[in-house]
Amino acid sequence: MGDPNVLKQLRASLHSYSLLYVEDNEGLNTQATILFKKFFDNVISAYDGEEGLRLFQQHRPQIIITDINMPKMDGLKMSEAIHEIDSDSIIIITTAHDELEFLHQSIKIGIFDYLTKPLKIDTLVDTFTRCVSILTESFHRKIFNANLHAVFNYQNNLVLLLHERNVVIANQPCLDFFNVPSIEALRKRFHSFGEILLEHKSFVYDHESMQWFEHISSHPGRVFNVKIADSQDISHHFILTFQSVPEKEGYAVLSLNDVTELGLLNLYDSNAVERESIVKDEKTVRALIEMAMRGGAKLKVHNLYKGLNITNDGLVIGIDKKKITLKAPYVQLKAMQHENIFYLTSELFPMAILAEGIKRIDFDDQSVVFDHYRLVQTSPTRREAIRVTPDNNITVTVLYEERKFEVDLEIMDVSLRGMRIQFPSLPAGFMEKHTVILDIVITGDMRPLIINTSAEVFRINEMNHRFEVVFIYDLNPQGHKNMIDYIAKRQMTLIREFKGIQYEK
């Protein structure tokens, strides 16, 4: 009866498929049906070709086993009719004799196998094992073809179908990239897709703090940077897009868009000196934006209206030499119009992009054209605390080495962690890391609120014969509460103010 473990594994592989058995000998039909149920959960029996064809049309089984000589319609005519309905059906002919004429006819029809009676268990195991291989390959190809057009539109993308992280199908550009003749050769070379991904700073690959499959599958809709070596061991930069297959657990389609020619690999792992040179290069920034456009990545567009963070999705729709066209919602365009700058961020970018040089804002088309851009270390997404541009209800006095500064000071912004103040001049020796005392007075309520705190000079910038100084502090509990109240009220005022600006023509 064969190896029980082999039979068990084979049955597990066949349980989701149906078998149609057509045999006019009632005794043989009954005995064989009992045998087939050792492999299949669903076995359908018929006693002539016409009944077999009708039951096939009704149940659409994947495998058909049929006798040849039967009343009403013989097995070959029935098989031919079935293949006209579904050419992927697997049909197996049984006969009591080696009849060459029937064998030749069955080959023309496309019969999968030709078995002699009586059927033997070992022969069936071999035949059904080959059926499983054919059905699985057909299933994979159907999933691949059904999902390919909906996921990616670029003909040159490397496209793969994975099952449980393993490559089961790849398109021709993928085979060409690795210089392998077939999917079987690719599987032998890379059993798991994770083996293909190379280490690169901030890219997706397997390491101690990241498992690539868990990472990308837990971020649906996102795109990722990956590095892969070709058959010549030359590293390529790809944008990877991942899509799970609906209702098919464990299956996923990957698309890899090669952006190596944009020359961005060094940007992600360069040292500080190299990066300083790279971030000033508009060609590099434009290449980053082009990479996002080609990968279909949505960008985040940020504006800071007097410290109020306004963020929406954006999409690059055109790059013409230096000019870039970006789609963004009306509210974001209004913020751009007010500030004349905006930030772009993406999971693909190593840093935020500051977009300047706005040439045109089209509210009807909901687009903006700009032609100056640079990478910046700071961005709205990296702010540890909300910063707002203050109103006239807050003032500050700075005490430094027993000297008081209060005249012509302008508070640029304020947060729970610090304050940016503009000075007309600075005392001699005033440097970063020095400590001062800030006396902050908040008015507008029944009585003024005074916050007295020590602060450290965090950064000094000289701008047009004036100096911007950033102070950081750690407020006491009451000062912290008072500052929270002020910032919250200021935010509400700014929200109402910005809403008014939205409706201005």
Side-chain angles (χ1 to χ4, degrees), residues 485-503:
D485 290 342
Y486 173 76
I487 291 174
K489 290 177 182 178
R490 183 63 180 147
Q491 277 190 297
M492 292 305 298
T493 300
L494 291 173
I495 289 170
R496 289 193 296 269
E497 184 179 307
F498 183 71
K499 283 184 176 179
I501 289 174
Q502 289 183 55
Y503 299 110

Side-chain angles (χ1 to χ4, degrees), residues 328-344:
Y330 179 88
V331 63
Q332 201 73 45
L333 297 177
K334 272 295 184 181
M336 294 177 190
Q337 186 183 49
H338 183 270
E339 290 194 285
N340 208 36
I341 63 170
F342 58 94
Y343 294 88
L344 295 174

Side-chain angles (χ1 to χ4, degrees), residues 1-3 6-7 9-11 13-14 19-21 28-29 31-40 43 63-66 90-95 112-133 135:
M1 287 296 292
D3 187 335
V6 173
L7 294 176
Q9 292 175 3
L10 186 56
R11 177 175 173 78
S13 300
L14 291 169
L19 170 73
L20 170 63
Y21 179 51
L28 184 56
N29 192 313
Q31 292 176 7
T33 297
I34 294 171
L35 176 61
F36 294 144
K37 285 184 177 180
K38 295 182 180 294
F39 300 95
F40 296 87
V43 178
I63 301 174
I64 300 94
I65 297 180
T66 180
I90 295 177
I91 302 177
I92 300 165
I93 292 291
T94 65
T95 181
F112 177 74
D113 208 348
Y114 188 84
L115 304 179
T116 57
K117 301 177 186 177
L119 301 177
K120 298 178 181 178
I121 190 72
D122 290 339
T123 303
L124 286 176
V125 167
D126 176 70
T127 300
F128 287 157
T129 299
R130 288 187 288 114
C131 286
V132 167
S133 178
L135 289 168

Side-chain angles (χ1 to χ4, degrees), residues 85-276:
I85 299 170
D86 183 2
S87 60
D88 290 332
S89 297
I90 295 177
I91 302 177
I92 300 165
I93 292 291
T94 65
T95 181
H97 307 285
D98 290 328
E99 297 170 280
L100 291 178
E101 182 181 350
F102 288 145
L103 177 60
H104 292 158
Q105 286 184 261
S106 65
I107 292 172
K108 291 179 182 179
I109 295 171
I111 300 301
F112 177 74
D113 208 348
Y114 188 84
L115 304 179
T116 57
K117 301 177 186 177
L119 301 177
K120 298 178 181 178
I121 190 72
D122 290 339
T123 303
L124 286 176
V125 167
D126 176 70
T127 300
F128 287 157
T129 299
R130 288 187 288 114
C131 286
V132 167
S133 178
I134 295 295
L135 289 168
T136 302
E137 190 73 15
S138 175
F139 175 65
H140 288 159
R141 196 162 296 283
K142 285 178 180 178
I143 291 177
F144 185 75
N145 292 334
N147 286 273
L148 181 60
H149 72 279
V151 183
F152 309 109
N153 296 317
Y154 296 103
Q155 290 185 353
N156 293 327
N157 280 14
L158 312 189
V159 184
L160 307 96
L161 175 69
L162 304 187
H163 182 233
E164 303 296 347
R165 299 172 177 78
N166 301 324
V167 178
V168 293
I169 289 182
N171 66 349
Q172 190 59 48
C174 187
L175 301 181
D176 293 341
F177 179 81
F178 292 109
N179 193 27
V180 292
S182 65
I183 183 60
E184 289 77 15
L186 182 63
R187 290 177 192 151
K188 288 180 180 178
R189 184 172 173 184
F190 300 110
H191 177 68
S192 168
F193 181 76
E195 300 172 37
I196 297 174
L197 303 176
L198 302 179
E199 178 180 350
H200 202 83
K201 185 177 179 181
S202 80
F203 281 25
V204 172
Y205 64 96
D206 278 337
H207 52 87
E208 288 183 2
S209 58
M210 178 192 293
Q211 294 295 314
W212 78 269
F213 187 83
E214 284 73 10
H215 181 71
I216 65 174
S217 59
S218 62
H219 295 88
R222 281 179 52 176
V223 292
F224 307 89
N225 287 298
V226 295
K227 184 168 78 170
I228 299 173
D230 63 15
S231 60
Q232 304 299 315
D233 207 29
I234 298 172
S235 294
H236 289 245
H237 180 186
F238 285 94
I239 303 302
L240 182 150
T241 309
F242 169 95
Q243 180 169 309
S244 59
V245 179
E247 299 180 2
K248 298 297 180 183
E249 186 176 354
Y251 285 92
V253 178
L254 301 184
S255 175
L256 295 156
N257 187 354
D258 195 338
V259 294
T260 308
E261 78 278 5
L262 298 177
L264 296 171
L265 276 175
N266 289 339
L267 179 61
Y268 292 86
D269 59 3
S270 56
N271 60 42
V273 175
E274 291 173 335
R275 180 170 289 198
E276 183 67 23

Side-chain angles (χ1 to χ4, degrees), residues 416 442 450-452 475-484:
L416 294 175
I442 301 173
I450 299 174
I451 302 172
N452 182 271
L475 301 176
N476 61 39
Q478 186 58 49
H480 190 268
K481 179 182 181 303
N482 292 339
M483 189 62 78
I484 286 177

Side-chain angles (χ1 to χ4, degrees), residues 21 23-24 51 80 86 171 271 339 419 434 441 504:
Y21 179 51
E23 168 61 59
D24 62 323
E51 184 184 20
E80 193 170 9
D86 183 2
N171 66 349
N271 60 42
E339 290 194 285
M419 183 176 285
H434 282 190
V441 180
E504 292 178 357

